[in-house]
Amino acid sequence: MAKRTAKNSVFLDLFQNKSYLLKLYKTLHPEDTTATEDSLTDVTITNVLTDNLYNDLGFIVNNKLMILVEAQSTWTVNILVRILLYLAQSYHEYFQRTSQDYYKSRKVKMPKPELYVIFTGNKGRKPDKISLSKEFFEGADIDIEVKAKVIYESDTDDIINQYIIFCKVFNEQTKQHGTTQKAVTETIRICKDRNVLREYLAQREKEVVTIMMSLFDEEQIMKSFIRSERHDADRETAERLIKKGKMTLEDIAECVPSLSFDELREIEAEVMQLAQPIT
């Protein structure tokens, strides 16, 4: 089955490549004709643990401009809240990297922020810009503001629009073939034929199929690991309580909810067997 985050996985993989990242930047700032791949520094917040903060794309241009980009297939203004948190974390990490202390009196230097949302669904009557004050505080003059430009499908041939078209082709193919490998391979074939992300897909076709297809995505793997760790810890707790012999299995079951009553009986039998003297 294709991953639930298949389209986002392609976005992350695509713009990890500096050449495509430069194309994205020049789409946003066509007036900057001097920018090079060396001008761009990746500052994306990485996903280390499932409950940690992480964003889609962040990069700094010549130490003067910080650009955060989020790709969304489902419309929600809650993205503004997430962007606010991403921006704060990105600045925190920036000050650490540049050895600047914002607790001291000397004014710190910080790159100017630009915030974008790439929406891969249909525009309809959705706005070109969204703001925290308008969406959450009825346009009131609040002490902190977040504004983001929203990018939709257009008739251009730039790298951003090609990614949006790729997502729409994938949506069409999943409607026909379900979230299967057939939908993934057909998406790649159609996009190459239409000259959509053709160079990227031709060079990394096997890798793209791999990152879009998975039995378990990273989040599921981490959750499974956490459940396993919790189960092992509960089992150790149950063994200790049974050895003390001061609680019934019913009482112990309330202390270790991840274990079934049958498991507790098995653990009790093992503890009793080990407690028997060797003859």
Side-chain angles (χ1 to χ4, degrees):
M1 302 295 291
K3 291 166 63 174
R4 174 180 54 82
T5 56
K7 292 177 287 188
N8 188 255
S9 296
V10 171
F11 181 88
L12 301 178
D13 184 68
L14 175 65
F15 293 114
Q16 281 181 353
N17 186 309
K18 277 286 189 75
S19 65
Y20 299 121
L21 183 61
L22 181 60
K23 289 181 179 180
L24 181 145
Y25 170 66
K26 289 190 173 183
T27 298
L28 301 175
H29 284 276
E31 78 285 354
D32 188 350
T33 58
T34 62
T36 64
E37 292 180 18
D38 293 336
S39 305
L40 311 179
T41 303
D42 183 12
V43 294
T44 305
I45 305 168
T46 56
N47 179 12
V48 179
L49 293 173
T50 56
D51 59 350
N52 275 11
L53 198 66
Y54 59 96
N55 63 336
D56 286 343
L57 179 63
F59 62 100
I60 293 176
V61 186
N62 286 324
N63 220 33
K64 296 180 180 179
L65 182 66
M66 180 184 288
I67 296 179
L68 302 186
V69 184
E70 294 298 306
Q72 296 288 299
S73 59
T74 303
W75 180 260
T76 173
V77 294
N78 290 337
I79 187 63
L80 287 165
V81 179
R82 300 202 298 270
I83 288 176
L84 173 62
L85 299 176
Y86 301 153
L87 186 61
Q89 179 66 21
S90 296
Y91 274 130
H92 174 70
E93 294 181 0
Y94 173 79
F95 293 135
Q96 287 185 321
R97 284 195 305 274
T98 56
S99 302
Q100 297 189 78
D101 190 345
Y102 42 75
Y103 286 103
K104 293 185 177 179
S105 58
R106 183 178 180 180
K107 184 170 69 174
V108 298
K109 295 181 180 179
M110 52 197 299
K112 174 186 173 184
E114 283 190 7
L115 313 174
Y116 297 89
V117 175
I118 297 175
F119 185 64
T120 60
N122 296 322
K123 179 178 182 180
R125 299 174 63 86
K126 299 176 184 68
D128 293 326
K129 292 183 180 180
I130 51 177
S131 71
L132 194 71
S133 61
K134 182 178 179 181
E135 298 295 344
F136 291 90
F137 302 100
E138 299 179 346
D141 183 13
I142 58 177
D143 290 339
I144 187 169
E145 179 65 292
V146 177
K147 297 179 180 179
K149 299 175 183 176
V150 188
I151 302 174
Y152 304 94
E153 183 182 4
S154 64
D155 56 0
T156 61
D157 190 39
D158 57 68
I159 190 76
I160 296 177
N161 200 52
Q162 288 187 47
Y163 171 73
I164 294 174
I165 294 173
F166 173 88
C167 292
K168 292 194 172 185
V169 171
F170 180 64
N171 290 342
E172 293 169 357
Q173 293 307 304
T174 54
K175 287 179 181 178
Q176 292 185 39
H177 307 291
T179 53
T180 62
Q181 185 167 343
K182 177 73 171 178
V184 171
T185 55
E186 280 298 287
T187 297
I188 294 173
R189 181 189 64 79
I190 292 169
C191 286
K192 287 198 299 183
D193 289 345
R194 295 182 185 177
N195 201 29
V196 173
L197 299 180
R198 184 173 183 176
E199 179 185 38
Y200 165 73
L201 295 173
Q203 293 177 347
R204 291 181 56 79
E205 182 166 349
K206 291 183 179 179
E207 291 83 355
V208 172
V209 172
T210 299
I211 64 176
M212 293 182 75
M213 298 293 303
S214 180
L215 291 176
F216 296 98
D217 63 21
E218 291 81 357
E219 183 175 349
Q220 290 173 315
I221 291 171
M222 182 58 72
K223 286 181 178 178
S224 177
F225 171 75
I226 292 172
R227 284 195 298 269
S228 175
E229 290 289 295
R230 185 178 297 121
H231 185 275
D232 290 345
D234 282 353
R235 186 179 178 88
E236 292 178 4
T237 300
E239 287 179 1
R240 289 197 300 269
L241 294 175
I242 290 171
K243 286 178 181 178
K244 288 182 178 181
K246 296 181 179 181
M247 297 174 64
T248 66
L249 288 186
E250 288 80 3
D251 293 333
I252 294 174
E254 295 181 4
C255 300
V256 286
S258 73
L259 301 180
S260 69
F261 201 77
D262 287 340
E263 287 179 293
L264 289 175
R265 284 176 175 168
E266 290 178 5
I267 295 171
E268 182 183 45
E270 292 173 4
V271 171
M272 296 297 291
Q273 184 176 4
L274 290 173
Q276 292 179 358
I278 300 175
T279 58

